Amino acid sequence: MRPALIAATLTLFLATGCDTGPAPGPDEATQPAASQPVDQARAETVAQRFAEAANAGDRTAVTALFAPDARFDSVGRIYPDRTAIIDTFLGPEVLDAGGRYAPGEQRWEGDRLVVSYTFTTRSGGQERFTYAYLIQDGLIRDVVGRYVR
C-alpha cells in the first residue's frame, strides 16, 4: 500500500471509530451507576444495620456501611463522600448527639429503598423524615433525606 493511502485510511478510521456517542447529561453524570439489579433483601438488611449502628453510636459500623464515594443529600445539604457524611453530618448530628432512629414504613421506588423514620433527640425532640437509599453490593451509595409533614 502506498503511504498516502495508508494515511487516508488511518485518518478515516480514527475520525469514525472514536465517537463514543453523546456525553452524559448533567443528571446522568451525577447519578451513581447501577452495577447490577438490586438485591432487595440485602439492601433492606443494610438499612436495618444502619439504624442499629447509628442508635448504638457505633461510628465504625456506620462508616463501614457507606461506600467511600457515597453521596448524602440531607434536605438539600450535600455531603459528597463518606468522610464528609460521617465527619460533618452523621457524626456530630446523630452519633455524638445520642439521637435514635425509629424505622417505620418502607417501600421500593425503582432501585431505591425508601424508609420513613421518626428521629428522637437525646432531649426528647422529634423529627420525621424519609431516607431514599441506593444500596448496591452491600454498601450505601447514595441517600436522599427529606422531611415528612
Side-chain angles (χ1 to χ4, degrees):
M1 253 181 161
R2 295 179 12 198
L5 183 57
I6 292 172
T9 303
L10 183 58
T11 300
L12 181 61
F13 172 76
L14 291 175
T16 60
C18 291
D19 182 15
T20 60
D27 290 338
E28 296 171 41
T30 59
Q31 293 299 317
S35 61
Q36 57 185 294
V38 174
D39 179 341
Q40 291 185 346
R42 186 175 184 195
E44 290 170 3
T45 299
V46 170
Q48 180 181 353
R49 286 177 37 219
F50 166 76
E52 291 168 356
N55 288 346
D58 188 339
R59 183 181 297 261
T60 301
V62 170
T63 301
L65 292 169
F66 284 88
D69 61 347
R71 178 183 168 278
F72 202 117
D73 172 349
S74 176
V75 195
R77 295 182 305 170
I78 307 299
Y79 303 94
D81 57 39
R82 177 173 61 197
T83 301
I85 293 166
I86 301 301
D87 292 351
T88 312
F89 172 47
L90 292 176
E93 295 185 32
V94 176
L95 304 173
D96 298 342
R100 298 206 36 97
Y101 289 95
E105 174 192 353
Q106 64 182 38
R107 66 186 182 281
W108 282 93
E109 291 183 4
D111 287 348
R112 289 187 180 263
L113 172 62
V114 180
V115 180
S116 297
Y117 292 102
T118 299
F119 182 78
T120 305
T121 64
R122 186 177 301 165
S123 63
Q126 288 190 336
E127 298 177 330
R128 291 177 13 99
F129 51 84
T130 60
Y131 283 170
Y133 295 98
L134 179 63
I135 300 171
Q136 297 169 331
D137 305 320
L139 293 173
I140 300 169
R141 307 277 176 181
D142 189 71
V143 181
V144 178
R146 295 295 182 258
Y147 287 112
V148 175
R149 297 177 206 261

